[in-house]
DNA sequence: TCTTGCATCTGTAGCTACTACAGGCACCAC
DNA sequence: GTGGTGCCTGTAGTAGCTACAGATGCAAGA
């Protein structure tokens, strides 16, 4: 990649285009301290460097992987302190993987229940719907 | 079930106990119009009937099945108007089932990606972490 | 030079579905 | 009458944005 590309400065619209992160979201990340305050042009517009771009792309990817803002903050904290221990990152990833698997299991249970309900239903214009009946049954013990 | 049980009145704490819905949440459902305003005791406490209990239990079950408040509102709207067409309910259920399946698929993709990342990682106290490297790669085209 | 139009600015309010609190009553037992 | 519990209202906080309003910046065309 040619040098001038790396040295280029980006306005917020370009950042948004390059990373797919909404302009408002970029400003929001700045506000909550996930992105550092960038330089400004003479007129007051934000001016980003290639490093900013890489960082925003990191955040975007991590968000896509389902990491919370708090988790990304710790990941970036490690990066910022140049104190990246692979063990720590691995632990966070595995913990997160566990949470994702739990979510999948819960949704699969839900899928089964919904399938069962849909199968019971006559679909027609009948007034008595087994789905509604199911939902209107006696309350169970508190979950 | 004996008649006196059906005729009994419940205070908000009892409603919460019977259904497992938080007291604050019950008040919140009243505020947003999902639960009707109940009678009050002389002292001003909410007093619920068995019908209220059934309705709240319906809401709770539907929430557990992942229906949004808006979806529950339409389900209850049909019930309230005694206009429950099984076809409509079935359509809502199937649409919701589709959304749940989409979410499962997305999470499974995420699971794969996280597994891949975790597997690449040496776990040790090495400074160069492949997980971080992966996340810090060039930005892709906007998604 | 003026105008047009797009990009960007700040700041605030809204979204979902709750949850948590503060400060105050009602009611009961002792 | 005092203590404890349950309930009341109203407001603010949570996550992670998104959507405005109203004011500028800036570049290109007439």
């Amino acid at each position: 990649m040619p040098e001038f590309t790396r040295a280029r400065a980006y306005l917020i619209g370009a950042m948004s285009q390059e990373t797919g992160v909404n302009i408002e979201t970029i400003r929001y990340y700045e506000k909550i301290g996930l992105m550092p305050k960038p330089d400004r042009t003479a007129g007051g517009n934000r001016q980003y460097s290639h490093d900013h771009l890489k960082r925003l792309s990191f955040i975007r990817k991590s968000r896509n992987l389902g990491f919370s803002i708090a988790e990304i903050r710790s990941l970036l904290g490690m990066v910022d302190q140049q104190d990246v221990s692979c063990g720590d990152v691995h632990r966070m990833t595995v913990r997160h993987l566990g949470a994702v698997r739990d979510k999948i299991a819960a949704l699969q249970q839900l899928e089964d229940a919904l399938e069962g309900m849909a199968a019971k239903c006559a679909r027609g214009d009948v007034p008595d719907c087994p789905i509604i009946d199911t939902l209107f049954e006696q309350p169970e013990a508190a979950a």
Side-chain angles (χ1 to χ4, degrees), chain A residues 46-109:
Chain A
R46 287 171 180 80
Q47 212 170 14
Y48 294 98
S49 71
H50 193 78
D51 278 351
H52 285 114
L53 183 60
K54 274 169 66 185
R55 190 181 180 95
L56 185 57
S57 143
F58 176 97
I59 296 171
R60 156 87 172 182
K61 282 184 196 171
S62 305
R63 288 291 299 136
N64 280 352
L65 288 170
F67 285 100
S68 69
I69 297 285
E71 285 169 324
I72 296 171
R73 213 185 279 278
S74 1
L75 286 171
L76 283 172
M78 290 189 267
V79 176
D80 290 343
Q81 287 163 36
Q82 313 244 280
D83 192 18
V84 185
S85 139
C86 199
D88 290 343
V89 178
H90 185 263
R91 265 186 292 284
M92 270 192 63
T93 305
V94 167
R95 195 185 329 130
H96 184 57
L97 184 53
V100 168
R101 285 185 176 139
D102 288 351
K103 226 176 265 177
I104 290 172
L107 282 171
Q108 276 168 343
Q109 277 202 344

Side-chain angles (χ1 to χ4, degrees), chain A residues 7-49:
Chain A
R8 211 170 85 205
Y10 307 83
L11 293 184
I12 199 165
M15 287 284 277
S16 174
Q17 282 246 309
E18 292 285 322
T19 59
V21 178
N22 223 316
I23 287 178
E24 277 96 345
T25 306
I26 298 173
R27 285 198 282 252
Y28 168 73
Y29 288 159
E30 181 184 327
K31 193 172 132 200
I32 64 172
L34 214 55
M35 285 293 289
K37 285 184 192 298
D39 290 345
R40 300 285 181 137
T41 64
N45 288 7
R46 287 171 180 80
Q47 212 170 14
Y48 294 98
S49 71

Side-chain angles (χ1 to χ4, degrees), chain A residues 115-127:
Chain A
E115 264 172 357
M117 277 167 43
K120 274 204 289 184
C121 186
R123 277 176 191 70
D125 266 349
V126 290

Side-chain angles (χ1 to χ4, degrees), chain A residues 138-143:
Chain A
Q138 289 304 310
E140 314 127 349

